[in-house]
């Protein structure tokens, strides 16, 4: 690919980059990866709460995107398209992992996660990250999509397969829980 | 929600930003995704809609040919008018439900309303278009039942052909609403099989048209929803 066209990759939208990638441009994939991977990884990390699993899923997601690139329809918003693939990969992986390794307690029920006894961290950013991790999955996912990956409520609703009202409600309830868990910092001088 | 002062405070929190994956992970992904990078531009939505319609037109043409060859002209002519009306609905469903790229396909509620409403409207239409009804207890026995079963299986096969081809044409295109898009593909194919069967089959009896011609729309819509969740997502 010639240099001026490569230069224009910086200004191209993710959708433009995807189209060039579909046409066979490796530099376009590189630029696309730099745009998408940090957002996708941040999303997967908060879904899995496990770095290695998030990295595995990132690879799975990009491999699926690579294989399915010819079925990308021109004009489809790319970030929700890719996030939806990542989300599906996560649920497929979790279902498969559960069926392999689920340990039941003696009465046949699933074991409850151990309560966290970690002390309140002094740094607000660390406390926020922990509070976010402790939210129920639906709230955490809605907040991650709208606050961290930067999707609009409408786009997040598409990715989650929910209505806009449901997403707003999840974000609102998640915020309320976060506020409760960060009360310590609100009281600090 | 944003006007809530408490939420505004949360908006000022140090939210974590996007995170760079580790370099070796990125390298592995780049290597994998730039291998065999020949151009692979797929079909656009207009071409996919056209292909879906072409298959349905083929199915309809075959059944119409059968009807023309075996039924009196007045019978297949009347059925043809109904079929043409429903083919307009069929095209409308494809255009409204699938013709725009995923993420820009309009409200999910409207698309679900179409998936539910069109089969229902078709069943009501069949109810009004039917002439005469044998008692149900009589219908489920003897030659009525045999004919209805054969006819229903043939209609189901025709509809499945149209639905399956439509699902194949849209395969891997919609990670956002794969079930809903699959249901739309199923309903359009089922509708095609059903209105085409109206031209091929001489029965006008209420239970026959309801079970043998009408219910395949519901059945293939449901099957499309189940299959679409797997097939239509990359």
């Amino acid at each position: 690919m010639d240099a001026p066209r490569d230069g224009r990759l910086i200004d191209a939208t993710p959708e433009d980059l995807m189209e060039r990638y579909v046409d066979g441009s490796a530099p376009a994939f590189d630029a696309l990866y730099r745009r998408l991977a940090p957002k996708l990884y941040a999303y997967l990390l908060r879904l899995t709460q496990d770095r290695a699993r998030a990295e595995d899923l990132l690879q799975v997601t990009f491999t699926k995107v690579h294989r399915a690139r010819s079925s990308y329809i021109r004009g489809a918003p790319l970030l929700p398209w890719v996030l939806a693939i990542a989300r599906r990969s996560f649920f497929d992986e979790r279902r498969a992992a559960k069926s392999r390794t689920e340990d039941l307690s003696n009465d046949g029920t699933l074991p409850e996660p151990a309560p966290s006894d970690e002390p309140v961290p002094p740094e607000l950013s660390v406390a926020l990250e922990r509070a976010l991790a402790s939210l129920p999955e639906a709230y955490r996912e809605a907040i991650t999509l709208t606050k961290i990956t930067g999707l609009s409520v409408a786009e997040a609703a598409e990715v989650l397969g929910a209505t806009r009202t449901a997403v707003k409600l999840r974000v609102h309830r998640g915020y309320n829980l976060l506020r409760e868990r960060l009360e310590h910092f609100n009281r600090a001088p | 929600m944003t006007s809530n002062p408490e939420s505004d405070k949360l908006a000022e929190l140090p939210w974590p930003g996007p995170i760079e994956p580790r370099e070796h992970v990125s390298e592995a992904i780049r290597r994998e995704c730039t291998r065999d990078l020949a151009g692979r531009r797929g079909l656009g939505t207009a071409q996919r809609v056209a292909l879906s319609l072409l298959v349905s037109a083929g199915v309809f043409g075959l059944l119409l040919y059968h009807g023309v060859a075996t039924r009196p002209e007045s019978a297949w002519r009347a059925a043809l008018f109904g079929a043409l009306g429903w083919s307009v609905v069929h095209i409308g469903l494809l255009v409204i439900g699938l013709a725009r790229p995923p993420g820009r396909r309009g409200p999910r509620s409207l698309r679900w309303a179409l998936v539910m409403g069109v089969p229902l409207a078709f069943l009501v239409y069949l109810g009004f278009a039917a002439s005469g009804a044998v008692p149900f207890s009589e219908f489920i026995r003897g030659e009525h039942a045999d004919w209805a079963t054969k006819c229903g299986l043939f209609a189901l096969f025709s509809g499945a052909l149209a639905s399956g081809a439509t699902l194949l044409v849209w395969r891997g295109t919609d990670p956002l609403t794969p079930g809903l898009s699959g249901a739309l593909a199923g309903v359009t194919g089922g509708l095609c099989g059903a209105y085409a069967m109206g031209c091929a089959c001489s029965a006008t009896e209420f239970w026959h048209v309801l079970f043998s011609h009408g219910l395949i729309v519901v059945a293939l819509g449901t099957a499309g929803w189940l299959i679409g969740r797997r097939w239509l997502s990359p």
Side-chain angles (χ1 to χ4, degrees):
Chain A
M1 180 174 281
D2 52 290
R5 205 176 165 201
D6 278 0
R8 284 201 296 273
L9 291 179
I10 296 164
D11 305 322
T13 63
E15 290 75 19
D16 289 338
L17 291 173
M18 182 68 185
E19 284 178 25
R20 290 187 200 186
Y21 167 49
V22 171
D23 286 337
S25 163
F29 175 78
D30 211 44
L32 191 65
Y33 181 80
R34 280 199 299 273
R35 298 259 188 103
L36 294 182
K39 289 180 179 175
L40 263 181
Y41 183 53
Y43 171 62
L44 288 169
L45 202 55
R46 274 159 195 96
L47 270 186
T48 57
Q49 314 222 34
D50 182 298
R51 190 175 177 176
R53 276 179 69 205
E55 286 174 346
D56 283 350
L57 283 168
L58 187 71
Q59 295 197 42
V60 169
T61 304
F62 272 103
T63 305
K64 282 187 180 175
V65 168
H66 181 62
R67 285 195 196 134
R69 65 192 188 280
S70 62
S71 57
Y72 169 73
I73 293 178
R74 180 187 286 260
L78 189 67
L79 186 57
W81 194 82
V82 177
L83 281 166
I85 295 174
R87 184 170 192 265
R88 188 179 186 86
S89 303
F90 164 70
F91 284 114
D92 286 347
E93 185 255 7
R94 187 164 71 175
R95 205 176 304 121
K98 256 188 186 169
S99 65
R100 280 195 308 267
T101 62
E102 209 160 70
D103 290 325
L104 300 179
S105 33
N106 291 338
D107 60 355
T109 59
L110 285 174
E112 288 293 322
S116 169
D117 291 330
E118 290 177 75
V120 177
E123 291 282 332
L124 180 56
S125 59
V126 180
L128 176 62
E129 193 70 69
R130 275 193 199 164
L132 196 58
S134 71
L135 290 182
E137 186 174 277
Y139 301 165
R140 185 171 69 242
E141 209 183 355
I143 290 180
T144 303
L145 285 174
T146 52
K147 246 350 189 185
I148 299 171
T149 62
L151 293 190
S152 66
V153 170
E155 287 173 328
E158 286 280 0
V159 173
L160 296 172
T163 61
R164 293 177 194 193
T165 312
V167 173
K168 281 183 189 170
L169 202 64
R170 287 177 204 177
V171 171
H172 181 64
R173 287 180 178 162
Y175 275 177
N176 285 342
L177 281 175
L178 278 181
R179 196 167 55 223
E180 278 172 25
R181 285 164 199 188
L182 294 173
E183 207 124 88
H184 163 76
F185 285 95
N186 289 339
R187 284 199 301 267
Chain B
M1 192 161 53
T2 47
S3 60
N4 181 346
E6 298 284 356
S7 296
D8 288 345
K9 263 188 207 168
L10 283 168
E12 289 161 14
L13 285 173
W15 289 99
I19 307 163
E20 290 290 341
R22 285 184 288 188
E23 194 47 44
H24 74 273
V25 176
S26 296
E27 265 316 301
I29 293 171
R30 282 197 182 97
R31 217 175 21 252
E32 175 71 27
C33 294
T34 49
R35 203 190 305 163
D36 305 326
L37 205 55
R40 277 183 62 180
R41 183 166 292 282
L43 302 174
T45 48
Q47 290 159 310
R48 288 179 202 266
V49 168
L51 258 179
S52 308
L53 286 174
L54 198 67
V55 175
S56 296
V59 168
F60 177 60
L62 278 175
L63 293 189
L64 180 62
Y65 175 77
H66 178 78
V68 169
T70 58
R71 297 176 65 189
E73 186 175 344
S74 59
W76 65 256
R77 248 182 212 289
L80 184 61
F81 283 121
L84 289 178
W86 281 102
S87 66
V88 173
V89 176
H90 177 168
I91 295 168
L93 260 184
L94 275 175
V95 170
I96 297 170
L98 294 170
R100 292 162 75 193
R104 300 194 195 285
R105 281 184 175 158
R108 200 182 290 252
S109 51
L110 171 70
R111 297 170 73 217
W112 271 120
L114 287 172
V115 165
M116 304 287 186
V118 168
L120 195 67
F122 187 67
L123 291 177
V124 171
Y125 160 80
L126 287 180
F128 281 109
S131 55
V134 295
F136 188 69
S137 54
E138 189 183 324
F139 169 73
I140 55 171
R141 283 197 300 266
E143 66 181 58
H144 282 296
D146 288 347
W147 185 16
T149 307
K150 276 181 202 155
C151 185
L153 287 174
F154 194 64
L156 187 65
F157 173 74
S158 309
L161 205 64
S163 301
T166 306
L167 282 166
L168 208 60
V169 165
W170 294 92
R171 191 174 182 182
T173 56
D174 186 4
L176 295 167
T177 53
L180 176 52
S181 295
L184 274 161
V187 167
T188 54
L191 200 57
C192 170
Y195 66 65
M197 202 61 207
C199 296
C201 170
S202 57
T204 54
E205 193 273 325
F206 177 78
W207 296 114
H208 180 101
V209 293
L210 185 73
F211 282 105
S212 300
H213 304 183
L215 283 186
I216 65 159
V217 186
V218 179
L220 289 174
T222 310
W225 175 67
L226 291 170
I227 296 168
R229 289 168 70 185
R230 279 276 143 209
W231 267 25
L232 297 194
S233 181

